[in-house]
Amino acid sequence: QLQASGGGLVQAGGSLRLSCGASGRAFSSYDMGWFRQAPGKEREFVAVISWSGGSTYFADSVKGRFTISRDNAKKMVYLQMNSLKPEDTAVYYCAASSMGLTSSYQQYNYWGQGTLVTVSS
């Protein structure tokens, strides 16, 4: 089970840190990703981190602004979002994949409930 938190309302240029907590023993064996879905749009990939934390991959739209990290001891994954833009407004979801470091949402086994991020201009 995954539980995302940390969303809220922020002005453009501001920062937010999203957190995702996991239950279960196998957390450290999963690659963890963040996706987002804006109103009226399809869910899109944001970032992924490997099970060890040694590899990360970002969507071009967030590269250089967002970072992803994890703490396997705490069963947590984080998405630090800086220099936020109005187009970053969306519900953000964390997800777990046992199928490798992937940006394809179909290859994620488990999903959190989502947390809303609203960026005002």
Side-chain angles (χ1 to χ4, degrees):
Q1 186 175 0
L2 301 175
Q3 182 81 23
S5 61
L9 174 64
V10 63
Q11 288 189 331
S15 298
L16 277 177
R17 188 197 196 201
L18 305 184
S19 300
C20 176
S23 59
R25 299 179 183 178
F27 173 80
S28 60
S29 65
Y30 285 89
D31 299 319
M32 296 297 297
W34 287 94
F35 289 76
R36 66 187 182 186
Q37 188 166 18
K41 295 188 177 181
E42 293 187 353
R43 190 168 299 192
E44 66 171 350
F45 167 77
V46 175
V48 62
I49 186 167
S50 63
W51 63 270
S52 67
S55 297
T56 58
Y57 177 58
F58 297 90
D60 287 344
S61 58
V62 306
K63 201 171 293 182
R65 300 188 297 123
F66 291 11
T67 58
I68 186 171
S69 61
R70 68 188 296 162
D71 184 334
N72 285 341
K74 295 181 178 180
K75 299 182 181 179
M76 296 291 293
V77 62
Y78 306 99
L79 184 69
Q80 178 66 44
M81 305 185 295
N82 299 327
S83 302
L84 282 162
K85 304 175 181 180
E87 51 263 43
D88 294 318
T89 295
V91 177
Y92 283 71
Y93 299 89
C94 59
S97 173
S98 61
M99 303 183 192
L101 211 63
T102 176
S103 61
S104 173
Y105 74 88
Q106 293 97 333
Q107 294 185 308
Y108 283 78
N109 310 76
Y110 304 102
W111 291 84
Q113 85 290 357
T115 185
L116 176 62
V117 172
T118 304
V119 184
S120 63
S121 57

